[in-house]
Amino acid sequence: MVALLSISGTLLGASPRINYLLYCTGCHAADGAGKPPNVPTLRDELGRMISVPQMRSYLVRIPGASQAPISDFDLSEVINWLLYEFNSDTLPANFQEYTESEVSTARKNILADPLKYRAEYWKAYNE
């Protein structure tokens, strides 16, 4: 797939993997490892995490995701990609992919303190 640059500088036609590499790897690394506790891992726990209702929107609402310069559709594709790529073994049996509409709604409610929210509804890092 060829990526095209629009006038605004946004890549058009970029795959979810390319958008992940462009907008997420600065903090989470190419393999999703993160830098706990400040940058949580994206590997092996997100499937369980999104089973908690408050945590499903968390993935969209964290500042890095909510403020990424990509469309709601592209962000939904990135989140779905990373769930399958790094968390397929932990996805709930009834997993439903994120939709553009769901991302659009959640994205408008940015988390000011994602680590505090994560600790309240999921768990804190003990490192």
Side-chain angles (χ1 to χ4, degrees), residues 2-122:
V2 175
L4 305 173
L5 197 58
S6 74
I7 293 172
S8 68
T10 301
L11 281 177
L12 302 175
S15 70
R17 179 181 169 275
I18 295 297
N19 279 330
Y20 174 81
L21 291 171
L22 289 170
Y23 303 116
C24 307
T25 58
C27 295
H28 291 286
D31 68 353
K35 298 171 190 150
N38 294 323
V39 181
T41 183
L42 299 178
R43 299 191 69 84
D44 301 323
E45 82 170 329
L46 298 184
R48 287 184 289 273
M49 180 187 282
I50 64 171
S51 296
V52 176
Q54 295 88 343
M55 294 307 290
R56 184 166 168 100
S57 69
Y58 171 85
L59 296 183
V60 178
R61 295 177 58 209
I62 56 173
S66 65
Q67 297 173 16
I70 57 177
S71 70
D72 294 338
F73 174 78
D74 286 340
L75 182 55
S76 70
E77 293 289 301
V78 169
I79 293 171
N80 290 325
W81 176 83
L82 74 87
L83 286 169
Y84 288 119
E85 185 71 15
F86 301 139
N87 297 273
S88 61
D89 292 341
T90 64
L91 288 174
N94 63 346
F95 171 67
Q96 293 184 3
E97 290 187 353
Y98 283 76
T99 65
E100 179 179 9
S101 174
E102 177 183 17
V103 167
S104 179
T105 299
R107 201 175 196 183
K108 294 172 186 166
N109 191 13
I110 298 169
L111 284 172
D113 191 341
L115 292 177
K116 180 180 176 184
Y117 185 92
R118 183 185 195 284
E120 182 175 342
Y121 293 106
W122 179 241

